[in-house]
Amino acid sequence: MNLSPRHRVILKALIDEFVADNKPVGSKTLSEKYEIGLSPATIRSCLAELEEFGFIASRHTSGGRVPTERGYRFYVDSLVTLFDLTMKEKQRIQEEYLKMQFRLDQVLIATSRVLASLSQSASVVLGPEGSLDTLKHLELIHVNGGEVLMILVMRSGTVLHRNIFFDYHISQESLYQLSRYLNENVKGFDIQEIQSNLIPQLMLKKDGPEGFGSLAPSIARAMVSENFGSDNLYIDGLKNLYDNFRDEDERLESILHLFDEKDFLRNFFSEYVPNDGVYTIIGKDGDEKLGGVTIIATNYRMGEKRIGSMGIIGPQRMNYNKALPLLEFTSKLVSEMITKLSR
């Protein structure tokens, strides 16, 4: 519904105060601490109306009001004022990445750590599917007869070994030439792209080393593995959740249980990989399991390709003013880094 200007001012002040203090907010507090420009009697009347509309609720008869999920939803969609990250905060994020050895997995671990630290909430980063990991180096090594070992060194730091069996002996010198040719043409691309597009294109060119056309299909098939990228969830900040919910034992237990359900988190954050923008999911408008929780999620890219997502999980009274720009800034920084890594 479309609230009047006075209802908006009071709802924003109430949520800002509740986020800061985590205590039910009364008309006296709003009148004394915020320049609302209304009498205490008018504020009380507006609070009663906001409660009737379902935007706030009373925990006790005379104990002030707290926001409801509907109130938070309206606040995030219409009232929140986004703060710019300070230069110090931006530097802190960037310094965290400078400690890394520029491997994809380390970048994602650093991302989960910095999001949890600066948001004072838990963080989840969903890494790309293994087939989207980019190739750093490839080597073909003769083993025995027609058996060849293919070593794939990925940008993530993963090293993959694949045994390929051919019907005839291939010399190590020929394998050196094949390795050099493939590295020159497919390095920096993801496995999916190499297998489905680049190798077929190279076969059409017919400018590769002798025997490339007959060997290439087997090389392409061997690149993909059924267990590629199964461990791609990075979590940090569980202690922050404990601090945020320690007075709510039952809710804390159900929230921590979420983090034991890796498939739930993986499926939940997978939905935000293809979607640009920063999304705020408040309580049960995301899933029944999320009562009392807010998740802020966005994706990140490698070039123009959307490859993963990241998010903050915390109480509904989180500081949206800082959490939303924090996630947006971090997402852009991670996308830039991963794009550079892939080249």
Side-chain angles (χ1 to χ4, degrees):
M1 63 183 298
N2 194 21
L3 294 179
S4 69
R6 65 170 57 176
H7 285 116
R8 286 169 172 254
V9 169
I10 291 171
L11 180 61
K12 184 178 187 305
L14 183 144
I15 294 180
D16 286 343
E17 178 65 20
F18 185 68
V19 166
D21 204 34
N22 193 24
K23 294 179 182 176
V25 183
S27 57
K28 185 172 185 291
T29 300
L30 295 177
S31 176
E32 292 176 352
K33 291 185 67 172
Y34 295 86
E35 297 180 5
I36 293 177
L38 299 170
S39 69
T42 303
I43 293 175
R44 284 194 296 273
S45 175
C46 286
L47 288 174
E49 289 166 347
L50 285 169
E51 186 169 1
E52 185 181 333
F53 298 154
F55 290 93
I56 59 177
S58 300
R59 285 185 176 170
H60 307 288
T61 308
S62 57
R65 271 93 166 185
V66 299
T68 62
E69 288 186 1
R70 188 178 190 190
Y72 282 119
R73 179 79 269 163
F74 190 87
Y75 176 82
V76 170
D77 290 345
S78 305
L79 304 177
V80 71
T81 303
L82 300 184
F83 298 152
D84 256 344
L85 295 180
T86 64
M87 186 59 67
K88 187 176 181 180
E89 287 168 327
K90 290 181 180 179
Q91 287 175 342
R92 182 176 170 186
I93 295 170
Q94 291 165 332
E95 285 169 3
E96 196 65 43
Y97 291 112
L98 291 176
K99 300 174 187 176
M100 301 298 102
Q101 298 175 13
F102 294 101
R103 283 176 22 182
L104 178 60
D105 57 343
Q106 293 188 329
V107 169
L108 299 183
I109 290 169
T111 301
S112 64
R113 183 163 59 235
V114 77
L115 287 177
S117 174
L118 290 181
S119 70
Q120 288 301 293
S121 298
S123 65
V124 173
V125 178
L126 181 66
E129 294 180 12
S131 59
L132 294 178
D133 195 356
T134 55
L135 180 68
K136 182 178 181 180
H137 184 75
L138 176 151
E139 199 68 46
L140 296 168
I141 299 170
H142 178 255
V143 178
N144 183 36
E147 184 180 357
V148 172
L149 173 65
M150 177 169 63
I151 301 174
L152 303 167
V153 182
M154 311 306 292
R155 290 287 182 186
S156 66
T158 303
V159 179
L160 304 170
H161 299 84
R162 301 285 184 266
N163 288 88
I164 313 173
F165 295 90
F166 299 102
D167 294 333
Y168 50 91
H169 171 86
I170 305 168
S171 70
Q172 186 59 59
E173 181 59 36
S174 297
L175 293 174
Y176 283 146
Q177 293 177 21
L178 284 167
S179 300
R180 191 180 307 115
Y181 180 69
L182 286 168
N183 281 312
E184 287 171 356
N185 288 280
V186 304
K187 184 173 67 176
F189 291 90
D190 64 68
I191 293 297
Q192 199 173 67
E193 180 77 3
I194 293 170
Q195 185 193 43
S196 59
N197 292 326
L198 296 182
I199 288 182
Q201 289 173 16
L202 292 175
M203 290 172 66
L204 291 174
K205 283 185 177 181
K206 298 182 179 178
D207 62 349
E210 184 180 351
F212 175 76
S214 60
L215 299 173
S218 296
I219 293 172
R221 281 194 301 272
M223 284 186 170
V224 175
S225 168
E226 64 282 351
N227 59 359
F228 223 164
S230 56
D231 188 18
N232 63 341
L233 203 62
Y234 303 85
I235 294 171
D236 207 318
L238 294 184
K239 183 181 181 300
N240 294 335
L241 278 186
Y242 174 79
D243 292 340
N244 287 324
F245 290 99
R246 61 185 166 190
D247 296 328
E248 306 173 61
D249 291 343
E250 189 174 327
R251 182 166 289 173
L252 175 62
E253 185 178 347
S254 65
I255 291 167
L256 291 178
H257 184 63
L258 277 179
F259 288 86
D260 292 329
E261 299 183 36
K262 299 294 175 62
D263 286 342
F264 173 82
L265 289 174
R266 191 174 280 108
N267 292 335
F268 185 92
F269 279 92
S270 292
E271 294 182 17
Y272 295 91
V273 175
N275 299 325
D276 294 330
V278 179
Y279 293 81
T280 305
I281 304 93
I282 297 173
K284 294 176 183 176
D285 68 1
D287 189 281
E288 281 295 318
K289 297 177 181 179
L290 303 179
V293 175
T294 286
I295 299 180
I296 304 177
T298 190
N299 68 10
Y300 59 90
R301 297 169 173 247
M302 181 177 64
E304 294 302 311
K305 186 177 295 184
R306 303 165 183 85
I307 63 168
S309 62
M310 64 180 71
I312 296 166
I313 302 180
Q316 291 176 356
R317 58 177 178 80
M318 74 166 60
N319 188 339
Y320 297 95
N321 304 300
K322 296 296 286 286
L324 289 162
L326 167 64
L327 201 61
E328 183 175 29
F329 175 79
T330 306
S331 166
K332 289 178 180 176
L333 186 61
V334 169
S335 296
E336 290 171 6
M337 292 188 65
I338 291 176
T339 298
K340 288 177 183 176
L341 281 176
S342 69
R343 290 172 181 163

